[in-house]
Amino acid sequence: MTVHQMPADNTKPAYNYAYLDEQTKRMIRRALLKAVAVPGYQVPFGSREMPLARGWGTGGIQITAALIGPADTLKVIDQGADDTTNAVSIRKFFERTADARTSEATEEATIIQTRHRIPEAPLKSGQVMVYQVPMPEPLRKLEPREAETRKMHAWAEYGLMQVKLYESIARFGEVTTTYDYPVMVNGRYVMSPSPIPKFDNPKMHMSPALQLFGAGREKRIYALPPYTSVKSLDFEDHPFRIQSWTQPCGLCGAGDSYLDEVVIDDQGGRMFVCSDSHYCETRRAEGHRGTMLGDAAASGLVEETTP
Amino acid sequence: MIAPGFSDPVFQSQAAFRALLTALSEPGTLQQVAGEVPPPEGLTAATATALLTLADYETPVWLPEALRSGPAGAWLRFHCGATVVDKPAEAAFAVIDGMADEPKLSAFNLGTDQFPDRSTTVIVQIAGLEGGPALTLAGPGIPGSRNIAPLGLRPGFTDELRENGALYPLGVDVLLAHGEGLIGLPRSTQVEEAR
């Protein structure tokens, strides 16, 4: 760029609304429409270079950019939390490029972009979940050749996946996959739910919200329309089970949410806290107290709110 | 004189896309696209808006013979830069008249077993989205079942939709269009005459 082309400070940025150009958005939009028409099938798309590294959520960002408009409220979470690096920078990206209204409240958001979690608060009709997906192909670790996995999906040959789950049971007595647990969508396609814990799998089944999945590096988009059957693969004698914990959240006392284990000292001390930061804050604001809230507030880690 | 396209391409296409996305992810719901586009002769506002939102030089479009050489064909080439093709099977998007006998849905590109996403999206222009014989829909995007009553579909069109659904995951995706309204019928939807 030569000097006379430098934009003045007060001019608008040199890129389009929501960063992507309109032709790219059209291409992504067409892929999204085909993706909702064939739930669970991975639609190839021309993933673009984004101003952050692939693997940091470029697939999700491109879907959000194709979706977002002035009427939307965007929530971004990373491992359940609204305040981690990836979530904060993606939220800032859309505040800057699309003048987006953002929120941390699950119930206020119309678009929720997520990495590795589904919020604890139930999703509503009209909301759109956008998942950042690192590895869209559930069969890739079993069959490295794309030409082969494509045929396996085409002919619904999913025996290999069942064998993998069976081998896990044969060796360990249970299916040891705890995240990215494969699901069968609408009785036809085996799909990777992205690296969400298997705790979240049941939330996908018949969800009233539209769920879109973007893998930027692998150049795939797939989708689950609302009210779509999503069944975690299992066996009659080894039914699918979600994780459970022996204690509730140390801060808000929730016994029904997904908990992260946090090491708190070098003496083997640890605590369990909600991975969904907004859910935990909402519960604390409502007056729920976990056993370790006092300690955490005293050391300035969380604000103790009084209802 | 070619009719105008979007006056504000970024936001008009964004709003129209959200209506299209809801139409195809919640089949049978009536979606409205804002009718700010004066459509060329032969296209409804909903059809014109959908094509402006989705079609470009990457997507061949099939139009009925009468529209192809008329103002609609010129409008499409000018605003979208799309190729207008003669063979239904080559089209990414197609516009058909609900009462015309030909082409059948099966004449369009149904996708291949390895790439079912390459099928045609068919926009069917009909006389009304309400007031016709009732159809019952079921499938992804529909809690239980949902009824629609499109008016002005050719005899046997329900059978074509049923045969199209039986090809799942192959098949065309259908959008019923009238005025500014759209109803999506993706291939995943099972269509039956209501009793």
Side-chain angles (χ1 to χ4, degrees):
Chain A
M1 191 184 279
T2 52
V3 175
H4 68 273
Q5 286 174 312
M6 291 288 280
D9 286 344
N10 58 354
T11 52
K12 290 209 151 183
Y15 46 76
N16 190 22
Y17 175 81
Y19 191 76
L20 296 175
D21 59 282
E22 289 302 299
Q23 208 278 323
T24 300
K25 286 188 198 169
R26 267 196 302 276
M27 175 270 297
I28 295 172
R29 286 167 180 168
R30 289 193 296 259
L32 284 169
L33 293 184
K34 286 301 174 194
V36 295
V38 194
Y41 166 74
Q42 302 162 48
V43 182
F45 82 111
S47 178
R48 300 297 194 246
E49 289 286 340
M50 297 301 284
L52 76 170
R54 292 205 159 137
W56 285 79
T58 53
I61 291 175
Q62 288 177 79
I63 290 182
T64 302
L67 283 176
I68 200 165
D72 285 309
T73 304
L74 177 70
K75 171 183 165 85
V76 186
I77 50 175
D78 172 6
Q79 304 266 17
D82 291 275
D83 49 9
T84 45
T85 316
N86 195 223
V88 170
S89 42
I90 292 172
R91 205 158 46 228
K92 270 193 187 153
F93 175 78
F94 283 109
E95 282 169 2
R96 226 164 112 176
T97 60
D99 205 12
R101 191 166 51 241
T102 57
S103 171
E104 294 192 5
T106 306
E107 55 281 357
E108 279 175 20
T110 56
I111 301 175
I112 303 171
Q113 183 172 330
T114 177
R115 170 175 175 266
H116 300 196
R117 271 317 304 281
I118 300 175
E120 305 291 355
L123 299 175
K124 294 176 301 193
S125 175
Q127 287 183 315
V128 186
M129 286 287 294
V130 178
Y131 296 80
Q132 302 169 195
V133 184
M135 176 51 70
E137 178 51 73
L139 305 168
R140 183 62 72 233
K141 281 188 179 157
L142 307 170
E143 170 51 67
R145 290 164 295 181
E146 168 67 14
E148 290 301 313
T149 53
R150 192 158 279 284
K151 284 178 205 158
M152 291 159 80
H153 284 294
W155 305 329
E157 271 187 19
Y158 294 128
L160 206 54
M161 184 59 91
Q162 296 288 356
V163 169
K164 181 206 158 197
L165 296 177
Y166 166 75
E167 282 181 346
S168 185
I169 292 170
R171 288 179 65 190
F172 306 107
E174 60 179 337
V175 177
T176 49
T177 307
T178 53
Y179 66 94
D180 209 355
Y181 192 102
V183 292
M184 172 65 85
V185 176
N186 193 26
R188 178 58 181 82
Y189 283 100
V190 165
M191 184 190 96
S192 154
S194 87
I196 58 171
K198 66 177 181 178
F199 180 88
D200 285 339
N201 274 19
K203 295 180 192 167
M204 299 185 133
H205 178 65
M206 293 292 163
S207 168
L210 171 63
Q211 302 173 76
L212 306 173
F213 299 78
R217 182 184 50 211
E218 304 290 326
K219 304 180 176 63
R220 294 290 185 276
I221 282 174
Y222 52 104
L224 294 172
Y227 307 108
T228 299
S229 153
V230 179
K231 191 181 172 301
S232 304
L233 298 179
D234 62 357
F235 298 95
E236 269 172 37
D237 52 345
H238 281 88
F240 175 77
R241 280 188 304 129
I242 58 172
Q243 293 102 326
S244 56
W245 290 264
T246 50
Q247 45 181 291
C249 170
L251 297 180
C252 76
D256 59 350
S257 81
Y258 185 80
L259 303 180
D260 287 335
E261 185 176 358
V262 182
V263 176
I264 48 177
D265 55 30
D266 57 2
Q267 312 293 313
R270 56 200 60 223
M271 69 186 292
F272 290 88
V273 290
C274 291
S275 118
D276 185 337
S277 61
H278 175 70
Y279 183 73
C280 199
E281 281 162 23
T282 312
R283 279 181 54 86
R284 292 203 300 271
E286 285 167 358
H288 296 279
R289 292 178 59 88
T291 50
M292 298 176 88
L293 181 60
D295 291 347
S299 45
L301 294 171
V302 292
E303 277 179 42
E304 197 170 4
T305 44
T306 44
Chain B
M1 184 69 176
I2 291 172
F6 284 139
S7 54
D8 186 0
V10 173
F11 295 107
Q12 283 176 323
S13 63
Q14 187 271 335
F17 168 67
R18 291 296 283 274
L20 287 160
L21 183 64
T22 313
L24 283 172
S25 60
E26 296 176 41
T29 58
L30 177 58
Q31 298 298 320
Q32 299 286 336
V33 296
E36 291 156 32
V37 179
E41 192 187 327
L43 299 183
T44 69
T47 310
T49 308
L51 288 174
L52 284 176
T53 304
L54 298 172
D56 58 28
Y57 64 88
E58 292 181 332
T59 59
V61 179
W62 188 91
L63 293 176
E65 191 77 52
L67 299 184
R68 211 175 301 163
S69 47
W75 177 88
L76 190 65
R77 287 189 195 91
F78 178 75
H79 287 296
C80 302
T83 317
V84 179
V85 290
D86 298 335
K87 295 202 182 92
E90 289 172 357
F93 293 97
V95 180
I96 64 172
D97 177 22
M99 286 309 283
D101 290 337
E102 294 289 331
K104 302 287 184 219
L105 289 183
S106 55
F108 293 102
N109 187 351
L110 303 173
T112 62
D113 56 0
Q114 295 191 29
F115 291 95
D117 56 299
R118 294 184 182 171
S119 69
T120 309
T121 303
V122 183
I123 303 174
V124 186
Q125 304 200 107
I126 58 176
L129 296 172
E130 291 166 329
L135 302 176
T136 303
L137 312 179
I142 303 169
S145 69
R146 192 173 274 152
N147 280 346
I148 58 168
L151 184 68
L153 286 171
R154 65 187 172 220
F157 194 77
T158 315
D159 292 330
E160 285 181 57
L161 285 173
R162 197 179 300 129
E163 283 158 21
N164 183 57
L167 295 172
Y168 183 84
L170 304 191
V172 299
D173 301 311
V174 172
L175 287 162
L176 303 177
H178 172 74
E180 293 166 14
L182 281 171
I183 290 178
L185 295 175
R187 66 194 91 171
S188 57
T189 302
Q190 292 112 46
V191 184
E192 290 297 332
E193 267 129 22
R195 47 189 99 204

